Amino acid sequence: MPELKKYQMFIDGQWVDSDTKKTFETLNPENNKPWAIVPEASANDVDRAVKAAQKAFEGEWPKMLARDRAKYLRAIGNKLRENSELLGKIETIDTGKLYRETYQQAKYIAEYYDYYAGLADKVEGTVLPIDKPNIQAITTRIPIGVIAAIIPWNSQMFLTATKVAPALAMGNTVVIKCSELAPATMFEFAKLVEETGIPKGVVNVVSGFGDPCGKALTTHNLVEKVAFTGGPETARHIIRNSAENLSEVSLELGGKSPVAVFDDAKQENAINGITAGIFGASGQSCIAGSRLYLQKGIYNEFLDKLASRAEKIKIGAPMDSDTEMGPLSNFKQLEVIEKNIKLTVEQGGKIKCGGKRHPFSNEGYYFPPTIIECENHNLPAAENELFGPVLSVMKFDTEKEVIELMNDNQYGLSSGVYTSDLARGMRVSNAIRAGITFVNTYRLISPSAPFGGIKDSGYGKEAGIDSIKDYTRVKTTWFYTSDEPSLDPFSIR
Ligand code: NAD
């Protein structure tokens, strides 16, 4: 058996093991074999990381000119571009996500660092129209302090950038907690951050489990904000934890995103968009379009075409350039998916394609593209987030009906509409209770596009121009402008 790759945590500019020397293995989803060994952070390790970040926050970093901090962000972006092949490869081994996506994403994510580098010196304060004589009052935007960035295993480069880039731009310091299911990419990222010469302690990376690592971080009294991406159950822990340190919390959670196809949609375009939305990244995307509503005039014809497209998807090794779907990222995912499909079929769901483990599954966690016809969207596969390549399909008649159906779910992250009638596209978009709507397209991200949901999909937007302000607090400063002594000390004015 080949020797396991060894990683260390990045704390205060040093590469360290856990103080307990505890480690855990991370598995390659392609073959279910361990390939790397990483430290398991104790509460003490987390304390060290947070204190290092706090020391850095009390040092030069927040006092630096914004445009000088921006140079470090641009340097991080350049490192991502130069090392996108390495980052892509490591993420692919650790998560099973296709190399053709991880490598391109590492490169593209550089744009987020550039974007926030550009914004760093453009966040302005205000002069208040104050209602008092001899007083001038202003507001400025100040950094918050130590930010805990809690990252899941999927789309790590993206979900790190949307937190770390605005946080650093505004002068905060960060402790990143990587997912125990796929931690390696974050260590490779930390190596690149180190190479930029950023002051030590500004960026720290710890690896461990929800408890003690995640818990110690999100309850730590020096942590001022927790930027979390993950599942709703963990989010509930995070909110409870934040009662301990009164930290601000932002939550990017799951979704069960609905997509409607009207009779007048351009079908080839819709099939491509739906395929990208649910079978891209094997459906392991928080914005996966996993509930499909087809208007009754095209139902049979469209479903047949979609299923035949799905059956042609090439399943294979995630490093191969012609593979279109690789393995799921972990065994738990496979079990959750199978359980929900079984229950759905028992309750009347009809499998149109897929539905059973792929022959490759004996080795890795492969599951084929699956389409299930559902009489109603309260069947388990149509209602729950499965985080896999499983599309539940329902029929609808009118625009009003489909809007009601699309909104009838606890989540509100993404949504999609396919129609040739743009007025209808706009009406449906306005009526959908979701943070994102794609009209005649799907699965796009951009540094300038706010990303995040409503309802049980969480709160607080990431990316976009406004999210930089979420990494600041407003400070009000009052100036007394008279040379005369101030008046009555016993009366508030
Ligand atoms: P998860 O909630 O299991 O874990 C997320 C992170 O939280 C991990 O680093 C984990 O170790 C940590 N954690 C666990 N318990 C904790 C605790 N008590 N205190 C602090 N931290 C703790 O999620 P996952 O399985 O890694 O990711 C999948 C979920 O993430 C899905 O629900 C998916 O929809 C969601 N997701 C959302 C977005 C988005 O932007 N909205 C993006 C990607 C993934």
Side-chain angles (χ1 to χ4, degrees):
M1 192 164 134
E3 207 181 317
L4 299 185
K5 194 171 168 73
K6 286 199 173 59
Y7 283 107
Q8 289 183 299
M9 297 188 286
F10 188 58
I11 298 179
D12 204 12
Q14 310 288 320
W15 292 96
V16 296
D17 296 322
S18 165
D19 67 345
T20 60
K21 302 287 173 224
K22 274 198 191 169
T23 57
F24 62 96
E25 290 173 345
T26 174
L27 303 177
N28 179 345
E30 190 188 347
N31 54 26
N32 192 22
K33 292 204 173 81
W35 74 279
I37 188 156
V38 299
E40 184 191 329
S42 66
N44 256 341
D45 296 317
V46 171
D47 184 55
R48 262 195 303 157
V50 174
K51 284 187 174 145
Q54 176 66 22
K55 202 165 102 217
F57 185 67
E58 288 162 11
E60 60 178 312
W61 182 248
K63 301 180 190 92
M64 213 180 260
L65 290 178
R67 65 160 193 245
D68 289 335
R69 275 199 307 272
K71 288 178 191 155
Y72 287 100
L73 274 100
R74 288 201 180 87
I76 295 175
N78 289 336
K79 292 274 171 200
L80 296 189
R81 285 186 191 94
E82 288 158 19
N83 294 278
S84 52
E85 289 180 15
L86 171 76
L87 289 164
K89 189 171 161 222
I90 297 292
E91 189 173 344
T92 293
I93 298 173
D94 218 15
T95 65
K97 197 173 192 176
L98 298 191
Y99 175 69
R100 66 200 249 192
E101 175 157 348
T102 54
Y103 147 68
Q104 288 296 349
Q105 204 174 52
K107 203 159 23 162
Y108 180 58
I109 291 309
E111 304 289 327
Y112 285 74
Y113 290 91
D114 285 352
Y115 179 82
Y116 286 103
L119 281 181
D121 60 358
K122 290 165 194 70
V123 176
E124 297 175 345
T126 58
V127 177
L128 301 174
I130 211 77
D131 59 345
K132 320 231 175 279
N134 302 326
I135 289 291
Q136 179 85 66
I138 62 165
T139 64
T140 47
R141 291 269 176 181
I142 57 169
I144 301 176
V146 178
I147 311 291
I150 314 275
I151 312 289
W153 47 264
N154 68 316
S155 298
Q156 300 171 40
M157 297 308 298
F158 166 54
L159 297 167
T160 309
T162 54
K163 300 169 179 60
V164 170
L168 296 185
M170 289 292 92
N172 303 280
T173 58
V174 290
V175 178
I176 300 170
K177 183 214 166 295
C178 40
S179 165
E180 62 273 33
L181 293 170
T185 319
M186 287 295 102
F187 298 120
E188 298 293 344
F189 172 70
K191 287 181 196 167
L192 302 179
V193 171
E194 183 186 27
E195 283 171 21
T196 66
I198 203 165
K200 59 181 191 160
V202 171
V203 177
N204 306 271
V205 177
V206 296
S207 47
F209 296 89
D211 196 359
C213 175
K215 189 169 175 202
L217 182 57
T218 50
T219 52
H220 199 291
N221 65 346
L222 291 175
V223 166
E224 296 288 347
K225 174 176 169 114
V226 179
F228 172 78
T229 302
E233 272 321 303
T234 315
R236 291 189 170 86
H237 284 289
I238 301 283
I239 293 170
R240 278 184 220 113
N241 293 352
S242 74
E244 301 295 319
N245 57 5
L246 300 179
S247 60
E248 187 181 331
V249 174
S250 69
L251 302 174
E252 294 287 354
L253 311 180
K256 189 72 192 174
S257 300
V259 176
V261 184
F262 285 88
D263 287 345
D264 65 351
K266 290 194 175 128
Q267 294 201 2
E268 193 184 338
N269 178 55
I271 286 170
N272 282 342
I274 292 161
T275 303
I278 187 65
F279 301 129
S282 301
Q284 300 173 109
S285 157
C286 52
I287 58 169
S290 51
R291 285 190 285 146
L292 179 64
Y293 298 93
L294 299 178
Q295 201 163 17
K296 68 175 188 193
I298 53 157
Y299 184 89
N300 290 326
E301 173 204 356
F302 190 90
L303 188 57
D304 285 345
K305 286 188 197 162
L306 184 66
S308 85
R309 175 74 187 88
E311 279 166 339
K312 286 197 194 87
I313 289 175
K314 185 168 184 314
I315 299 185
M319 282 302 289
D320 289 354
S321 59
D322 60 346
T323 298
E324 294 175 325
M325 255 179 61
L328 300 171
S329 100
N330 58 74
F331 188 62
K332 198 180 90 192
Q333 289 291 115
L334 197 66
E335 288 185 321
V336 169
I337 289 167
E338 283 181 330
K339 188 178 123 203
N340 275 275
I341 290 179
K342 184 168 173 280
L343 289 173
T344 305
V345 170
E346 280 167 13
Q347 292 170 39
K350 282 194 239 132
I351 305 266
K352 182 82 183 166
C353 66
K356 285 207 165 55
R357 278 189 203 199
H358 196 273
F360 281 19
S361 306
N362 296 334
E363 291 257 315
Y365 318 129
Y366 288 89
F367 201 83
T370 296
I371 299 179
I372 312 183
E373 290 183 82
C374 298
E375 269 293 308
N376 70 73
H377 66 190
N378 300 117
L379 300 186
E383 190 161 51
N384 305 322
E385 183 186 44
L386 301 190
F387 226 60
V390 182
L391 181 66
S392 301
V393 187
M394 284 74 56
K395 201 181 280 178
F396 75 93
D397 194 359
T398 64
E399 181 179 319
K400 181 170 175 291
E401 180 194 0
V402 79
I403 288 169
E404 279 168 18
L405 290 168
M406 290 170 92
N407 282 335
D408 184 25
N409 189 274
Q410 72 191 90
Y411 291 111
L413 183 53
S414 181
S415 53
V417 188
Y418 290 90
T419 173
S420 293
D421 178 350
L422 274 190
R424 175 155 62 192
M426 184 54 104
R427 279 196 305 275
V428 177
S429 167
N430 286 341
I432 296 303
R433 299 271 302 140
I436 303 166
T437 300
F438 295 103
V439 181
N440 293 331
T441 186
Y442 210 85
R443 202 162 180 248
L444 302 173
I445 54 165
S446 162
S448 63
F451 184 93
I454 54 179
K455 298 170 38 183
D456 286 3
S457 295
Y459 46 76
K461 287 277 178 180
E462 296 197 326
I465 201 161
D466 291 330
S467 83
I468 198 161
K469 291 187 184 156
D470 295 339
Y471 288 87
T472 65
R473 295 259 163 83
V474 174
K475 172 169 179 162
T476 308
T477 306
W478 299 78
F479 296 89
Y480 183 54
T481 56
S482 167
D483 289 333
E484 300 302 318
S486 59
L487 299 175
D488 183 0
F490 299 104
S491 153
I492 188 168
R493 291 181 297 145

